[in-house]
Amino acid sequence: MSLVIPGLMATVLVWRILLTAALLGTLTSTIFLFMVFAAALRYRQQAKQARIAAAAVPASSLPKVTILKPVHGMEPSLEQNLESFFLLDYPNFEIIFGAREADNAALQIADKVRARHPHVKSSVVLSGVPTWANAKIFSLDRMIAASSNDYLVISDSDVNVAPDFLRNVIPPLLDPGVGLVTCPYRGIPATDLWSRLDALGMSIEMPSGVMVADMMEGMRFAMGAVMATRRDALEKIGGIGATADYYSDDFVLGNEVWAAGFKVVLSHEIVEHVLVPRSFQQTFGDQLRWMKSTRYSRPKGHVGSGLTFAMPFGVLGLIAAGALGSWTLGVLLLTAAFLNRMSQAIVVGWGVIGDSRALRYCWLYPFRDLMGFLIWMASFTSRTFFWRGETYRFDDGGKIIPQHRPAVNAVANRL
């Protein structure tokens, strides 16, 4: 009897501690939600003003632009994505494709699209086997050298844009104090569940964090879907090679440009990030790679992001409160978490990003939130990851080291 009572008391104490954690997590995730609402309202107001300002810039004042498009392998929607850049309503631009070798399957698609639009100046740069850790940056460095234009737009191969894309993205760069413009994006899923969950994360979770960061301290980073910059800004940070040792080259590029004294602008132009059909393993692997990158690039922020999730604390609250005999409280905590994420999906995904799927599947986003928390926990495991056919290892500060080819320091290699 003497052993049973202390054991029961200890068990009750553990459940109370877990319930307290659930209540605190519910509070922090609710605070974050209201911060997201405020940031979303701010972004919408600024986006409206920015769109009017961009439309007021006469076509004669728009500079020549080079679009840099690294490609790597086949993607189901690659042809449509690439063609959207050939259909831009802009007076003077060129497109440069980059790949390691001429037999890259993506170049066959690029050549097919180029043949349909001979009036658009375009070319291909072959970089060869990369000697820098980040193969994409290795290609971009050679692509930038092939252009004579001062205004550069870097965009991934899985991005689809509207005809007025450049007309909206370039005008802020006419201000010499602005060094980089980056675009939010909405996820466009395939027909499977996992790409749908992934797309919801792109349309809701990603812009929520970005808008809050912009509201709190201004943009100090960029997002890789679209990064528009000027040659003078790149030269001031030592060239694109300054990002070559990192996986999160987009974050580092924006941060370096900001640190050099330029302003980084979150554009009002929202582009589409087109996903391919994927398995659970592919989805989990991609998300885990991104989470690990954040862990090493921004360790304090990554740890703190655990408090912005809602569903894990709702589930914990249900279990802990139920164990203490208060099922009503447990159900309330779970319901609050579910409504928290549903409202975030509607306000950000539909209201700001314009993704109708975020409204239609708002009930699905809480499950994406729970999945995101599990991936966040998994990010504290190993340093290795698999990316574009190669195995890498994260080093301190977010730098990456290829495991099966020699990595040459990019800065030293340029000297």
Side-chain angles (χ1 to χ4, degrees):
M1 177 73 71
S2 60
L3 294 176
V4 172
I5 293 177
L8 289 174
M9 292 177 62
T11 301
V12 170
L13 178 61
V14 169
W15 284 120
R16 285 179 176 174
I17 292 173
L18 291 176
L19 180 58
T20 301
L23 290 169
L24 289 174
T26 299
L27 175 63
T28 57
S29 62
T30 301
I31 292 173
F32 176 70
L33 179 67
F34 283 107
M35 291 175 67
V36 169
F37 286 170
L41 178 61
R42 173 180 177 271
Y43 174 79
R44 286 199 55 156
Q45 292 172 341
Q46 292 185 338
K48 182 178 180 180
Q49 296 171 356
R51 189 170 292 278
I52 293 173
V57 177
S60 58
S61 299
L62 295 173
K64 296 179 181 179
V65 175
T66 296
I67 298 172
L68 306 169
K69 184 68 68 169
V71 294
H72 181 83
M74 286 294 297
E75 300 168 11
S77 300
L78 181 63
E79 186 171 348
Q80 297 93 315
N81 296 339
L82 298 184
E83 187 153 38
S84 69
F85 285 84
F86 282 83
L87 300 175
L88 294 175
D89 181 15
Y90 192 84
N92 198 330
F93 70 97
E94 67 172 347
I95 304 174
I96 297 180
F97 295 97
R100 294 188 190 184
E101 299 169 348
D103 60 355
N104 190 307
L107 287 183
Q108 300 177 18
I109 300 298
D111 287 341
K112 183 178 177 181
V113 177
R114 292 174 63 203
R116 285 203 297 266
H117 301 275
H119 59 287
V120 176
K121 183 181 178 182
S122 62
S123 59
V124 173
V125 171
L126 302 178
S127 62
V129 178
T131 58
W132 296 355
N134 190 317
K136 184 181 77 172
I137 299 301
F138 183 78
S139 292
L140 279 171
D141 183 68
R142 281 124 186 94
M143 295 161 69
I144 291 171
S147 169
S148 60
N149 294 332
D150 291 330
Y151 290 76
L152 309 167
V153 176
I154 303 169
S155 178
D156 290 339
S157 60
D158 52 7
V159 171
N160 195 296
V161 297
D164 61 353
F165 164 70
L166 284 181
R167 193 67 179 77
N168 284 301
V169 170
I170 294 299
L173 288 171
L174 298 177
D175 178 354
V178 175
L180 190 146
V181 177
T182 190
C183 293
Y185 48 86
R186 69 177 67 91
I188 307 297
T191 57
D192 60 290
L193 172 64
W194 301 114
S195 70
R196 190 165 292 167
L197 286 172
D198 210 357
L200 285 175
M202 292 179 178
S203 295
I204 304 166
E205 180 182 344
M206 174 65 77
S208 293
V210 170
M211 290 188 299
V212 168
D214 187 29
M215 178 179 70
M216 298 299 292
E217 60 180 14
M219 290 295 291
R220 300 184 179 186
F221 57 92
M223 294 175 287
V226 170
M227 299 181 290
T229 187
R230 286 193 315 274
R231 193 177 294 273
D232 65 293
L234 285 180
E235 290 174 350
K236 194 169 182 180
I237 68 171
I240 196 72
T243 70
D245 293 325
Y246 299 85
Y247 170 74
S248 297
D249 54 87
D250 50 354
F251 173 87
V252 175
L253 178 60
N255 191 251
E256 290 286 334
V257 169
W258 169 80
F262 294 98
K263 183 179 180 181
V264 177
V265 172
L266 179 62
S267 178
H268 62 279
E269 181 71 7
I270 299 170
V271 301
E272 294 182 341
H273 191 297
V274 184
L275 283 82
V276 300
R278 49 188 43 225
S279 64
F280 168 76
Q281 290 83 356
Q282 289 174 311
T283 299
F284 190 87
D286 288 347
Q287 294 290 331
L288 181 58
R289 184 173 67 245
W290 296 330
M291 283 277 192
K292 285 184 178 181
S293 173
T294 305
R295 173 194 167 192
Y296 290 104
S297 298
R298 308 178 290 284
K300 293 181 180 178
H302 182 62
V303 172
S305 68
L307 296 174
T308 65
F309 294 99
M311 285 301 295
F313 298 109
V315 172
L316 179 62
L318 175 67
I319 296 172
L324 294 170
S326 182
W327 286 104
T328 300
L329 176 59
V331 171
L332 285 174
L333 288 173
L334 181 62
T335 302
F338 209 88
L339 293 176
N340 181 313
R341 295 298 97 149
M342 284 183 63
S343 58
Q344 183 186 357
I346 294 171
V347 170
V348 176
W350 179 59
V352 176
I353 302 300
D355 188 347
S356 61
R357 284 170 291 269
L359 176 63
R360 193 180 321 134
Y361 299 111
C362 63
W363 56 271
L364 193 57
Y365 184 63
F367 298 101
R368 171 64 181 80
D369 183 70
L370 185 59
M371 176 181 168
F373 179 77
L374 296 176
I375 296 172
W376 176 80
M377 292 182 64
S379 70
F380 292 96
T381 57
S382 72
R383 289 174 174 259
T384 59
F385 65 98
F386 189 74
W387 182 41
R388 291 192 168 185
E390 294 186 89
T391 301
Y392 295 80
R393 182 179 182 274
F394 278 113
D395 203 0
D396 294 338
K399 291 186 176 182
I400 57 175
I401 302 172
Q403 298 298 282
H404 302 296
R405 61 176 167 88
V408 179
N409 181 276
V411 176
N413 195 45
R414 293 174 63 87
L415 297 179

